[in-house]
């Protein structure tokens, strides 16, 4: 009878442990993942992730976050202010593979135009940033203590660069990367020349020369 009782107890404990492991796995399971360019050339092989808590963004990050300490975060806004980063996924994967977490506006796509694409408001950048910073504090999240909140940057291409400038005053941002975008005397995506005065960190502008439609700006 004692042996039967011990055996039954062991089985119950095993079932309990398996249940805990299963629940933990399910709670941390992303909705979808995608591997681009074999994960990039950096030492941290990267994946693109669609998270259940923020399905209309893509997070490009090292595949094995358990190996990582807190990583710098880069928020990314797309050209045309569109809700897709598929045209930038190779670049963003490469960045992530060198030890960054990159969060880009727009739901994951398998290929271009496999869904309807639309423009997004500049507030999307802040919405994504608010969510990922909150995940950094959530003990049940894969991103718990994986974000170095002292090293957060924002990058954007063309109209996405204007979206970055529209959010430039956010004190959490420490640096800016502006790709083929500028204000000049125009206004776009809620940004204007006045937005430049709200920048409070280092900025890198990359332009395409006189043939770039944004060159004068």
């Amino acid at each position: 009878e004692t042996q039967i009782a011990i055996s039954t107890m062991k089985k119950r404990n095993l079932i309990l442990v398996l249940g805990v492991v299963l629940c933990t796995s399910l709670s941390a399971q992303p909705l979808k993942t995608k591997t681009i360019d074999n994960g990039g050339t950096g030492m941290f092989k990267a994946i693109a992730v669609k998270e259940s808590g923020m399905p209309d963004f893509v997070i490009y990050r090292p595949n094995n976050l358990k190996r990582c300490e807190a990583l710098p975060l880069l928020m990314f806004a797309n050209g045309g202010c569109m809700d897709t980063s598929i045209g930038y996924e190779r670049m963003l994967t490469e960045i992530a593979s060198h030890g960054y977490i990159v969060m880009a506006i727009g739901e994951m796509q398998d290929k271009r135009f496999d869904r309807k694409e639309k423009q997004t408001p500049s507030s999307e950048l802040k919405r994504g940033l608010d969510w990922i910073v909150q995940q950094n504090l959530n003990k049940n999240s894969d991103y718990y203590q994986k974000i170095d909140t002292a090293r957060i940057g924002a990058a954007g291409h063309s109209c996405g660069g204007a979206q970055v400038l529209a959010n430039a005053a956010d004190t959490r941002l420490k640096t800016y990367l502006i790709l083929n975008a500028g204000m000049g005397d125009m206004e776009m995506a809620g940004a204007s020349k006045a937005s430049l005065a709200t920048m409070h960190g280092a900025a890198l502008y990359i332009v395409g020369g006189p043939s770039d439609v944004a060159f004068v700006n």
Side-chain angles (χ1 to χ4, degrees), residues 21 97 154:
V21 171
S97 77

Side-chain angles (χ1 to χ4, degrees), residues 122-141:
S122 295
S123 58
E124 281 293 273
L125 205 68
K126 180 181 182 301
R127 186 170 73 90
L129 179 55
D130 289 344
W131 183 85
I132 194 71
V133 168
Q134 185 60 41
Q135 295 305 300
N136 193 51
L137 303 174
N138 181 358
K139 291 182 178 181
N140 296 318
S141 172

Side-chain angles (χ1 to χ4, degrees), residues 67-157:
R67 288 180 53 204
C68 304
E69 298 181 354
L71 301 174
L73 170 67
L74 180 67
M75 301 299 299
F76 189 79
N78 311 295
C81 294
M82 300 301 287
D83 66 338
T84 177
S85 63
I86 193 166
Y88 310 92
E89 62 181 11
R90 299 181 70 183
M91 178 183 74
L92 301 181
T93 294
E94 182 64 22
I95 292 171
S97 77
H98 291 278
Y100 290 81
I101 292 175
V102 183
M103 189 171 189
I105 296 171
E107 186 177 350
M108 184 183 289
Q109 291 176 270
D110 292 322
K111 59 182 180 179
R112 194 68 194 266
F113 306 121
D114 62 1
R115 63 167 171 81
K116 185 176 180 180
E117 299 171 7
K118 62 182 186 298
Q119 285 194 313
T120 59
S122 295
S123 58
E124 281 293 273
L125 205 68
K126 180 181 182 301
R127 186 170 73 90
L129 179 55
D130 289 344
W131 183 85
I132 194 71
V133 168
Q134 185 60 41
Q135 295 305 300
N136 193 51
L137 303 174
N138 181 358
K139 291 182 178 181
N140 296 318
S141 172
D142 286 348
Y143 304 96
Y144 176 60
Q145 295 185 344
K146 296 301 180 183
I147 307 291
D148 184 346
T149 54
R151 294 190 292 170
I152 299 176
H157 176 230

Side-chain angles (χ1 to χ4, degrees), residues 153-164:
H157 176 230
S158 192
C159 185
Q163 289 184 307
V164 169

Side-chain angles (χ1 to χ4, degrees), residues 11-30:
K11 287 181 180 178
R12 287 175 179 171
N13 288 340
L14 179 60
I15 291 170
L16 179 60
V17 170
L18 288 174
V20 171
V21 171
L22 181 61
C23 288
T24 302
S25 299
L26 289 174
S27 66
Q29 187 71 31

